[in-house]
């Protein structure tokens, strides 16, 4: 009698162990196959921009010494019309980043207005075919385009995305070039 009880107990353990590993896989397969329980909301307001070249390859006329330094995120915007309003909007967004603002630089391409504080102004040497007037690009610290926003985008949407990018990519504890020599 005790042998059959031990066998039943062992079978129950085996079934419980299989259930722990197999049931989550079965539930995940059902969710994917029948689209049950999968959120439909978007996580980013901008569009992914894989076809945009790195910032170093942009056909800009200004000397590269005025470009934002590596290691910082860049908000680059093409200022074709209503340039002062656009520059002010992105300056205010930059200020709204608060203590994370030092991690983001602004690059305005075009416009005749004076540069706002913390802004780099450049011009196209030859407008590229991917250029869209009034467009905003968020570039990662390597200069690669991450997100793009069409003209007329809400600044609140861009702020949400930039805050999320900064939160998901924490600042390195020591930036290259700012290391203290070990003695």
């Amino acid at each position: 009698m005790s042998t059959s009880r031990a066998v039943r107990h062992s079978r129950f353990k085996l079934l419980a162990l299989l259930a722990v590993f197999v049931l989550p896989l079965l539930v995940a397969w059902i969710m994917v196959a029948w689209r049950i329980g999968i959120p439909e909301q978007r996580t980013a307001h901008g569009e992914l921009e894989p076809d945009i070249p790195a910032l170093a390859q942009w056909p800009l006329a200004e000397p590269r010494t005025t470009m934002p330094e590596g290691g910082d995120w860049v908000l680059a915007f093409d200022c074709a019309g209503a340039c002062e309003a656009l520059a002010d909007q992105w300056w205010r967004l930059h200020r709204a980043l608060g203590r994370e603002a030092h991690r983001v630089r602004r690059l305005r391409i075009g416009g005749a207005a004076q540069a706002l504080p913390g802004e780099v102004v450049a011009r196209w040497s030859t407008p590229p075919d991917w250029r869209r007037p009034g467009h905003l690009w968020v570039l990662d610290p390597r200069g690669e385009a991450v997100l793009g926003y069409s003209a007329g985008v809400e600044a609140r949407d861009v702020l949400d995305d930039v805050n999320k990018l900064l939160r998901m990519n924490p600042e390195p504890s020591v930036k290259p070039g700012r290391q203290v020599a070990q003695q």
Side-chain angles (χ1 to χ4, degrees):
M1 191 76 151
S2 66
T3 308
S4 68
R5 178 180 248 176
V7 169
R8 269 189 277 150
H9 191 271
S10 296
R11 286 181 184 166
F12 178 72
K13 279 185 182 178
L14 180 61
L15 287 175
L17 188 61
L18 284 174
V20 166
F21 290 108
V22 173
L23 281 178
L25 292 174
L26 182 63
V27 169
W29 182 80
I30 289 171
M31 288 176 70
V32 169
W34 291 319
R35 309 289 299 162
I36 298 171
I38 297 176
E40 296 294 329
Q41 65 188 10
R42 294 181 62 160
T43 57
H45 298 92
E47 297 295 324
L48 295 177
E49 297 280 2
D51 298 330
I52 304 295
L55 179 60
Q57 299 170 351
W58 287 18
L60 298 175
E62 306 306 315
R64 296 286 176 191
T65 57
T66 63
M67 291 298 115
E69 64 185 48
D72 292 329
W73 291 80
V74 178
L75 292 176
F77 58 100
D78 190 344
C79 204
C83 195
E84 288 183 27
L86 276 177
D88 184 60
Q89 177 183 11
W90 302 131
W91 177 79
R92 290 177 188 277
L93 177 134
H94 194 201
R95 295 297 97 204
L97 290 171
R99 64 182 184 184
E100 294 291 336
H102 71 281
R103 296 179 58 196
V104 178
R105 303 283 177 246
R106 288 184 331 278
L107 171 63
R108 178 178 51 155
I109 304 169
Q114 196 74 353
L116 293 174
E119 183 176 64
V120 174
V121 179
R123 303 211 183 294
W124 296 115
S125 58
T126 57
D129 57 346
W130 48 264
R131 173 189 183 229
R132 285 173 249 147
H135 206 73
L136 170 76
W137 295 277
V138 177
L139 307 170
D140 69 5
R142 296 175 304 165
E144 301 288 331
V146 177
L147 294 172
Y149 301 90
S150 60
V153 66
E154 290 289 326
R156 182 180 321 130
D157 294 341
V158 176
L159 181 62
D160 288 344
D161 289 349
V162 171
N163 276 327
K164 186 170 186 171
L165 285 170
L166 293 175
R167 188 173 53 252
M168 298 301 290
N169 298 284
E171 185 173 27
S173 58
V174 178
K175 280 191 172 183
R178 295 185 187 176
Q179 296 176 353
V180 178
Q182 302 257 344
Q183 295 180 359

